[in-house]
Amino acid sequence: MAIMRYVGLIIWVCMLSGLAQAELPWEQYRGKAGPSGWRCHVIQPDPKDDGPDGINLHDWDGDGDLDMFVNAEEGHYSRLYFNPGSGSVRGVWSEYIQFDHGQCEDSGMGDLDQDGDMDYIANGGWVYFNPGTAHVRDKSQWIKMTLFDQERRVPTVADVDGDGLNDLIVGAQAWYKQPAEGKHDASNWVKYTIGKNRWPMNCIMVDVDKDGDTDMVVPDRGVEVCWYVNPGQRLVTGLWQRKTLHAHTEPMFMAVADVNGDRIDDFVITGGSLGDLAQKLIVLLRTNQSGHPTFKEVLIDQPGGSFPKGVAVLDLDGDSRKKEILVIPKQGDIWTATYTGDAMQAKNWKAAALTMPGADTRKKMDNAWLGDLDADGDLDIVTTEENGGWGVIWFENPAKKNI
């Protein structure tokens, strides 16, 4: 019996040792190609569930490679990850600086002090002014300005009033005017109200009615997809008229781009998990060139995975006359929607999964950001994964390798 107990103990120890050495999903599946050649790479894993959520792609250090600022929602910090270059870009990016702040689900970027450098905004309230390329790696050189100490979704930088200075839009409902002087002093930034949204997933600044000024498109989760009419420079500090773009009450992310090559911007909306159009990709092909948009609606079923969430429009097949739509589901394989012939005919559209190993272990992905991370001449897809340990990830576009 003593011998049996001893043997059992050895087996138990060996089992524990094997478990200890087992690879985590992101370690096991990262960098492995699926049938289409697409691969998922890990920029920084998330072992403590800090919840990375929001990407800001830019060459922050001026070396020619795209870096990225990423905010961690539950971790209460933001990190600027520096691209290690094409030779090491597919591995974990080890060099970064970190800024600590309150809970932050979104972030943005833009030049907010008119010095030519890209600044960083963590969830609207916390602005970090870039000290310039020479000092960008020294976090002590960055200047923090607190406009308000709470969350405001989708911070967006745009020249709202047309004075040549970038302003800051927060919550897709209010904007702060960049002052002529004292730009790093929060007391000099004056707030104006555009309207009110429940849960804005995007804040997209685009001239919807083609009258020469910039309007605002918002998928307002729990309400509708709407757009706010810019009233013109003289009235821009007042409330803007809100109009319904689409009645789907539970939109996730959306994109505005010319999908069918007619030189008119279309609207692409992911249907999310609730409402009559849950699990659908909603493509609104615009049929007029100005005024309130009219459109042909095309509904596309997802090919698998959980509900569609993130979306981007880009050229994947090398045919510049039309674009493809890439969709990131909450969990599962990313997928594309493409058409042949007349895009206005729903029967001409098809959806196909870009199958990659470990898709089901990526449990909560976010929106899709575009950038050529590996400097090979095609656009890659960057996103975050919050609940499966993958963290900050990117999907490598194999297009150039297939030519």
Side-chain angles (χ1 to χ4, degrees), residues 43 53-60 65-72 77-82 93 101 104-110 118-124 142 154-157 366-371 373 382-384 392:
I43 289 171
D53 188 344
I55 301 288
N56 300 273
L57 283 166
H58 178 65
D59 180 11
W60 296 86
D65 296 315
L66 284 177
D67 314 300
M68 64 181 68
F69 239 125
V70 184
N71 54 278
Y77 62 77
S78 293
R79 286 177 177 174
L80 172 50
Y81 294 101
F82 296 103
W93 297 13
H101 45 65
C104 178
E105 190 175 2
D106 296 291
S107 54
M109 64 179 182
M118 194 70 71
D119 304 308
Y120 175 71
I121 309 99
N123 210 259
W142 289 72
V154 290
T156 304
V157 175
D366 201 58
N367 202 7
W369 287 268
L370 302 175
L373 287 193
V382 188
T383 191
T384 53
V392 187

Side-chain angles (χ1 to χ4, degrees), residues 93-141:
W93 297 13
S94 58
E95 186 180 2
Y96 61 84
I97 57 174
Q98 176 174 313
F99 300 118
D100 299 312
H101 45 65
Q103 183 167 323
C104 178
E105 190 175 2
D106 296 291
S107 54
M109 64 179 182
D111 184 3
L112 288 176
D113 57 4
Q114 209 69 8
D115 65 353
D117 295 315
M118 194 70 71
D119 304 308
Y120 175 71
I121 309 99
N123 210 259
W126 308 292
V127 179
Y128 293 86
F129 291 102
N130 189 337
T133 302
H135 303 287
V136 74
R137 281 179 163 81
D138 183 356
K139 63 179 291 184
S140 68
Q141 296 293 312

Side-chain angles (χ1 to χ4, degrees), residues 206-215 227-233 286 289-291:
V206 61
D207 186 0
V208 175
D209 52 11
K210 303 302 179 185
D211 66 350
D213 51 32
T214 304
D215 310 301
W227 67 288
Y228 287 87
V229 184
N230 188 322
Q233 190 170 2
R286 187 165 181 173
Q289 296 189 20
S290 62

Side-chain angles (χ1 to χ4, degrees), residues 252-329:
M252 294 299 289
F253 295 105
M254 70 176 292
V256 179
D258 179 9
V259 173
N260 58 349
D262 63 359
R263 299 184 180 180
I264 303 173
D265 280 340
D266 307 300
F267 306 90
V268 183
I269 307 158
T270 52
S273 62
L274 301 171
D276 294 339
L277 297 180
Q279 320 297 331
K280 302 284 188 181
L281 177 66
I282 307 162
V283 182
L284 307 180
L285 298 171
R286 187 165 181 173
T287 55
N288 66 340
Q289 296 189 20
S290 62
H292 183 75
T294 58
F295 47 77
K296 165 69 175 179
E297 179 187 71
V298 176
L299 301 179
I300 301 170
D301 292 321
Q302 61 183 11
S306 62
F307 63 85
K309 189 177 181 183
V311 65
V313 178
L314 70 162
D315 178 17
L316 288 173
D317 62 4
D319 182 357
S320 60
R321 294 171 297 178
K322 64 182 182 69
K323 296 292 191 295
E324 288 71 49
I325 301 170
L326 186 137
V327 177
I328 298 181

